Each structure stands twice: as structure tokens, then as C-alpha cells.
């Protein structure tokens, strides 16, 4: 019988050895994809840096009007210029994101729960692949709940999305969910991110953790680190810096941008850290310069 945590004894992650991509494409693990898949990934990940700054504003699909997201039509125009990719629901995007922005879209395609419930782990793919095509989505985002009650159904829905995405060369963003009772350890993220990649997700959204270098080394596709709950700007920039230094291909920040007192300045500082090699200290100094 397999170990309860299959990676319990895994230790040789060769963190200092670059991924053997066997080619010159700038997205990890994507060298053998077809042209259309690569084109969409190139919209998400800047070809010059291989990194991405995603702006997440999909919280309303289960939380309603989250603080800072009360008026999407007023928020997005302030921030979109500084994001590589916009992550939202089809309703929010169609109603509040002008198509003239020409930004990559990570389309939230799964749902099934609300904050009124204790168990949020039961989600399914609710957006038809045809609608994702109509919206010119650069990726379809499916949330999975590894280790939770809804694990089986969300894994099945992720694989269904991957199968449909492969049919039309649309990448699938596998989102690692972390519920109230789920651990945030390197062992858990090693398990969850590797599972999603092996199912065929072309990119994975996860959380930063201790020994993140091992997690990123063991995952053969790009990892994008979630910002999580609102923390002080200085700490959020440290999170972004540590994630990039640990091997992440970008960050997907929401609350740490739109709940900041200075959201435009904050997303510009995140860009400096992700794309221009700023340290967290330099990023925060840049942020302070913009806000003073």
C-alpha cells in the first residue's frame, strides 16, 4: 500500500538544476505543445521574462461583493494596464472589462459553492468550452480540492477541462484550493501541484510555503503563487520576491492589490519584483516613492 503522503521520503529535487525543457520556448514544460497552446501561454507569460503578473478578481463567484471589488467597472480600468493576465468570471469580464484592453484572460470556469456553506469543496466545470472560445480565453481555471470531501469530483472536472482544452489548444490552469481544515505544508503542495501537472494542467496556481524550491522543482509546469489574504504591502512584496526566487513563474494577486490603499502603485511595485528583478526591499521603496 502506498504511503499516506506519497512524497514522504522524496528528497532529491535538484533545486539548483534548471528544468530540462529540451527547447527554447520560455514556458516551463511547454516545448512540445502545439502552436495555439504556445500562443496563449505567451499571452499569459511575458516572452521577455518568462513571468506573469495576474490580477485576480474572481472572488465574487462565491463571496459576492468582496471589499475592494464593489465596483469592478471602476477598479479594472485602474489596474489592467499593469497586469499581464486578468483572472475573473465570464460575467465580470463581459460586463466590466473592455475588450480593447487586449489582455490575457484566465477564465474562472468552476463553481458550486458559496460562503453560506461550511464545505466549499464541491465544484464542477460550469462554463462551456465553446463560451471560453467565444471569450478568447488564454486559459480556463478549474479549482481542485485535494484531500477534501470534494476531491474526486473536482479532479474529474479538472480532467474534463483539460481534455476539452486540448481539443481547442486552450491551457488549463489548475488551482490548488486550501480550505480551513487543509494544511499548508510543503508535503501537501508537493502532492497537490504534482498531481495537477500530471493530470495535464499546463499551469498551476498554488500557495507559497516552506521549501517552496522543492515544490517548484518537482512540478514540471509553471507555478503561479496566490497572494492570499490581505497583508501589509511590504510583506506582500516579500511574498512575491520569495516566490520568484523560489522558482515560481509569477504571482496571481487580488486582495493584496485591490484592498491596498494604493492599488495602482502596488501592482506596479509587484511588476518590478516579478519582471525587473527588484528585491522586496527595492520593490517597497519603489512603492513608497509612488505613494509619497
Amino acid at each position: 500500500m502506498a504511503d499516506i503522503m506519497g512524497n514522504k521520503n522524496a528528497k532529491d529535487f535538484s533545486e539548483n538544476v534548471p528544468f530540462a525543457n529540451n527547447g527554447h520556448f520560455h514556458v516551463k514544460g511547454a516545448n512540445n505543445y502545439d502552436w495555439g497552446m504556445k500562443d496563449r501561454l505567451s499571452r499569459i507569460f511575458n516572452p521577455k521574462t518568462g513571468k506573469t503578473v495576474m490580477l485576480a478578481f474572481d472572488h465574487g463567484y462565491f463571496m459576492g461583493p468582496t471589499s475592494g471589488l464593489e465596483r469592478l467597472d471602476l477598479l479594472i480600468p485602474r489596474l489592467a494596464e499593469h497586469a499581464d493576465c486578468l483572472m475573473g468570471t465570464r460575467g465580470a469580464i463581459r460586463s466590466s472589462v473592455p475588450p480593447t484592453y487586449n489582455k490575457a484572460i484566465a477564465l474562472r470556469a468552476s463553481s458550486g459553492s458559496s460562503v453560506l456553506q461550511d464545505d466549499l469543496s464541491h465544484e464542477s466545470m460550469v462554463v462551456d468550452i465553446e463560451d471560453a472560445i467565444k471569450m478568447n480565453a488564454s486559459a480556463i481555471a478549474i479549482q481542485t480540492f485535494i484531500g477534501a470531501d470534494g476531491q474526486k469530483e473536482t479532479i474529474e472536472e479538472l480532467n474534463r477541462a483539460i481534455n476539452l482544452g486540448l481539443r481547442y489548444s486552450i491551457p488549463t490552469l489548475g488551482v490548488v484550493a486550501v480550505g480551513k481544515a487543509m494544511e499548508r505544508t510543503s508535503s501537501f503542495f508537493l502532492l497537490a501541484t504534482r498531481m495537477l501537472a500530471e493530470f495535464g494542467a499546463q499551469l498551476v496556481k498554488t500557495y507559497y510555503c516552506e521549501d517552496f524550491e522543492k515544490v517548484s522543482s518537482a512540478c514540471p509546469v509553471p507555478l503561479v503563487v496566490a497572494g492570499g489574504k490581505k497583508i501589509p504591502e511590504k510583506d506582500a512584496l516579500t511574498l512575491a520576491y520569495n516566490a520568484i526566487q523560489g522558482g515560481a513563474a509569477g504571482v496571481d494577486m487580488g486582495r493584496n492589490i485591490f484592498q491596498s490603499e494604493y492599488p495602482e502603485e502596488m501592482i506596479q511595485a509587484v511588476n518590478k519584483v516579478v519582471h525587473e528583478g527588484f528585491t522586496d526591499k527595492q520593490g517597497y521603496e519603489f512603492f513608497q516613492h509612488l505613494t509619497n
Side-chain angles (χ1 to χ4, degrees):
M1 183 176 178
D3 292 336
I4 293 176
M5 190 66 79
N7 54 59
K8 183 170 63 175
N9 296 317
K11 56 185 178 180
D12 186 10
F13 295 97
S14 301
E15 295 98 313
N16 297 321
V17 180
F19 183 74
N21 212 24
N22 299 321
H24 302 290
F25 192 63
H26 64 285
V27 178
K28 183 179 182 180
N31 190 60
N32 296 322
Y33 297 163
D34 61 71
W35 191 94
M37 186 76 74
K38 287 182 175 179
D39 176 69
R40 289 183 168 90
L41 288 170
S42 292
R43 290 172 59 79
I44 298 171
F45 297 99
N46 187 317
K48 294 181 180 179
T49 66
K51 304 293 192 296
T52 187
V53 173
M54 289 187 179
L55 174 63
F57 53 95
D58 58 334
H59 305 66
Y61 92 95
F62 76 104
M63 296 177 67
T66 310
S67 174
L69 293 181
E70 295 90 347
R71 287 289 300 273
L72 292 172
D73 59 312
L74 301 180
L75 172 75
I76 303 304
R78 298 174 60 192
L79 305 178
E81 175 187 351
H82 307 291
D84 299 298
C85 181
L86 305 176
M87 183 171 178
T89 63
R90 58 182 172 182
I93 292 167
R94 279 196 169 107
S95 65
S96 304
V97 180
T100 53
Y101 288 172
N102 199 30
K103 292 290 181 177
I105 296 294
L107 181 63
R108 164 66 70 173
S110 65
S111 70
S113 305
S114 77
V115 290
L116 300 179
Q117 298 173 287
D118 292 328
D119 185 359
L120 302 178
S121 71
H122 298 279
E123 289 198 2
S124 59
M125 182 177 177
V126 296
V127 176
D128 289 340
I129 192 67
E130 288 81 5
D131 207 22
I133 294 169
K134 287 179 181 179
M135 296 193 69
N136 198 29
S138 298
I140 45 180
I142 303 291
Q143 189 143 279
T144 57
F145 291 79
I146 305 302
D149 189 56
Q151 172 178 283
K152 182 177 184 294
E153 64 196 79
T154 54
I155 286 176
E156 289 174 345
E157 292 301 294
L158 174 69
N159 279 280
R160 185 161 75 92
I162 291 167
N163 291 336
L164 290 168
L166 288 171
R167 188 180 301 173
Y168 299 102
S169 295
I170 301 178
T172 298
L173 167 59
V175 181
V176 176
V178 178
K180 296 178 181 178
M182 297 164 73
E183 59 182 40
R184 298 191 180 210
T185 64
S186 57
S187 293
F188 173 76
F189 291 119
L190 277 165
L191 173 70
T193 58
R194 180 63 171 262
M195 286 178 66
L196 270 55
E198 299 229 9
F199 292 144
Q202 287 81 16
L203 60 162
V204 173
K205 176 178 174 179
T206 187
Y207 290 85
Y208 186 77
C209 63
E210 185 179 356
D211 292 330
F212 186 78
E213 295 83 359
K214 294 181 180 179
V215 178
S216 62
S217 295
C219 186
V221 300
L223 293 182
V224 177
V225 169
K229 295 181 179 180
K230 177 70 175 71
I231 54 179
E233 284 80 0
K234 184 177 182 180
D235 295 338
L237 290 167
T238 296
L239 170 65
Y241 175 74
N242 288 341
I244 297 301
Q245 294 302 306
V251 296
D252 186 18
M253 286 196 168
R255 286 169 286 185
N256 279 299
I257 291 175
F258 62 71
Q259 289 183 348
S260 171
E261 184 179 356
Y262 303 100
E264 294 166 82
E265 291 80 1
M266 183 58 182
I267 194 172
Q268 291 180 68
V270 171
N271 261 287
K272 293 292 184 180
V273 171
V274 172
H275 287 304
E276 298 187 28
F278 277 34
T279 65
D280 49 343
K281 181 180 178 180
Q282 291 172 325
Y284 188 62
E285 289 174 349
F286 177 78
F287 172 78
Q288 290 180 307
H289 171 72
L290 292 179
T291 55
N292 289 334

